[in-house]
Amino acid sequence: MADVLYTGPIPAERGAELTMGGGRSETSALTGTGGGRGTATTQNSQRPNTCCFCWCCCCSCSCLTVRNEEERQRWRRRKKIPDTKMETIPNCEACTKPSLEEIRLWSQSFDKLMRNPAGRNVFREFLRTEYSEENMLFWLACEDLKQEMNKSAIEEKARSIYEDYISILSPKEVSLDARVREVINRKMQDPTPHTFEDAQLQIYTLMHRDSYPRFLASNIYKALVHGGSRTPSESYS
C-alpha cells in the first residue's frame, strides 16, 4: 500500500465537519484522518473530559461516539447495507456449548460475556441484526494482532485492519473520534501489535454502553436463557 495512507493527522485549521452521507475531501480520504460517519472534527480537537455516563475514568468520554454509532446503524438499516465479514477471521469462533449457568453469567458484566468465546459468538450474532458486526470483527482482529510476533506479519495485519476498519473508504469503518484516529495514523508509520489499542478500547466501550444493554433485552439472549435456541456455533456446524 502506498505510504500516502499514513502521512499523519490533518492540521487542526484544515479540519472540517463531516456529516452523515456528506462528501469527504480528497485529502481526508488519502490520509485516513477523516472522522467516522456522523463524527465531527473541530479546530480544537482535544480529548474530551469524562462525564457522569463514562463507565471508566481511564478513557475519554464516548457519549458522542455512541450517538454517532446509533445514527450510523439507522442509516445502514435504511440503506440496507449487506452484512460483511473479514476474510481472515473465522465466521464463528470455535467453542464448546455454554451451560445455562455460563449464559446467565453473561448478564452480570460485559467483561464476562467478552471473555467467553461462546458469548462473543452470540453477541456477534446480535450485532449482525443491528448492522454493527464490524465492531466485534474489529475487536477480534485487534486481539489477533496482539498475538503476532513476526514483524512482517504485524505490518501486513495492521494494514489489513486499517483498510477494513479505519479507512473512511471502507464500508466496515468503525466509529472513532478524531483523537484516536490521529494516534493510529502516527503509529502506522511503524506498526506494532498494539497499534490499535486506543481504538480497540473505544470500540469495546461503545459495545459495552450501546449494544450490550440491548443484547440482554433481546430475544436472542432471552431464548438462550430459557433454553429455546441454539448457539451460533451449533448453527454453523
Side-chain angles (χ1 to χ4, degrees):
M1 175 177 295
D3 292 337
V4 71
L5 283 175
Y6 317 119
T7 53
I10 299 175
E13 63 269 16
R14 295 172 60 188
E17 185 178 75
L18 301 178
T19 57
M20 186 72 66
R24 297 184 175 94
S25 69
E26 182 179 355
T27 302
S28 296
L30 289 174
T31 59
T33 56
R37 297 180 184 90
T39 303
T41 58
T42 62
Q43 290 185 339
N44 296 314
S45 179
Q46 299 177 345
R47 178 172 178 173
N49 295 324
T50 56
C51 72
C52 59
F53 295 106
C54 288
W55 71 282
C56 175
C57 61
C58 65
C59 61
S60 62
C61 175
S62 60
C63 297
L64 179 60
T65 305
V66 170
R67 289 197 297 270
N68 290 336
E69 175 70 7
E70 292 172 346
E71 292 174 1
R72 185 171 62 85
Q73 290 177 23
R74 286 194 294 269
W75 178 81
R76 294 185 71 180
R77 290 190 188 101
R78 289 196 301 270
K79 296 294 183 181
K80 297 182 179 180
I81 293 179
D83 296 330
T84 55
K85 300 177 179 66
M86 183 177 181
E87 293 76 14
T88 57
I89 297 293
N91 186 58
C92 188
E93 292 184 77
C95 64
T96 58
K97 181 178 179 180
S99 65
L100 182 58
E101 181 181 357
E102 283 183 287
I103 293 172
R104 287 176 174 168
L105 284 176
W106 299 345
S107 66
Q108 292 184 6
S109 74
F110 187 58
D111 289 339
K112 290 181 179 179
L113 171 69
M114 291 293 285
R115 283 199 298 264
N116 186 282
R120 291 194 296 268
N121 285 336
V122 175
F123 186 56
R124 178 174 163 183
E125 282 297 293
F126 170 75
L127 293 177
R128 182 177 292 143
T129 68
E130 293 204 331
Y131 298 91
S132 59
E133 184 185 11
E134 69 276 2
N135 289 333
M136 177 63 81
L137 292 176
F138 171 68
W139 189 88
L140 289 171
C142 291
E143 287 296 291
D144 180 60
L145 177 63
K146 288 178 181 178
Q147 306 305 314
E148 188 58 64
M149 303 295 292
N150 182 273
K151 184 171 178 58
S152 62
I154 289 172
E155 293 176 350
E156 180 62 29
K157 288 185 177 183
R159 284 196 296 267
S160 179
I161 291 173
Y162 189 97
E163 291 173 355
D164 282 343
Y165 303 110
I166 308 301
S167 171
I168 62 174
L169 302 178
S170 173
K172 295 183 287 185
E173 177 197 5
V174 295
S175 295
L176 300 171
D177 63 33
R179 179 189 66 83
V180 171
R181 287 180 176 276
E182 290 173 0
V183 170
I184 291 174
N185 278 287
R186 287 197 300 269
K187 290 183 176 181
M188 282 302 293
Q189 302 287 345
D190 185 22
T192 72
H194 303 285
T195 291
F196 302 98
E197 211 163 46
D198 288 349
Q200 187 184 20
L201 174 60
Q202 189 165 88
I203 293 303
Y204 185 93
T205 305
L206 175 64
M207 292 190 292
H208 180 193
R209 297 180 52 218
D210 182 46
S211 302
Y212 177 60
R214 291 199 299 274
F215 165 73
L216 296 180
S218 70
N219 290 332
I220 290 177
Y221 181 67
K222 289 179 179 178
L224 286 175
V225 170
H226 292 90
S229 178
R230 296 184 301 173
T231 62
S233 58
E234 293 178 289
S235 300
Y236 290 129
S237 60

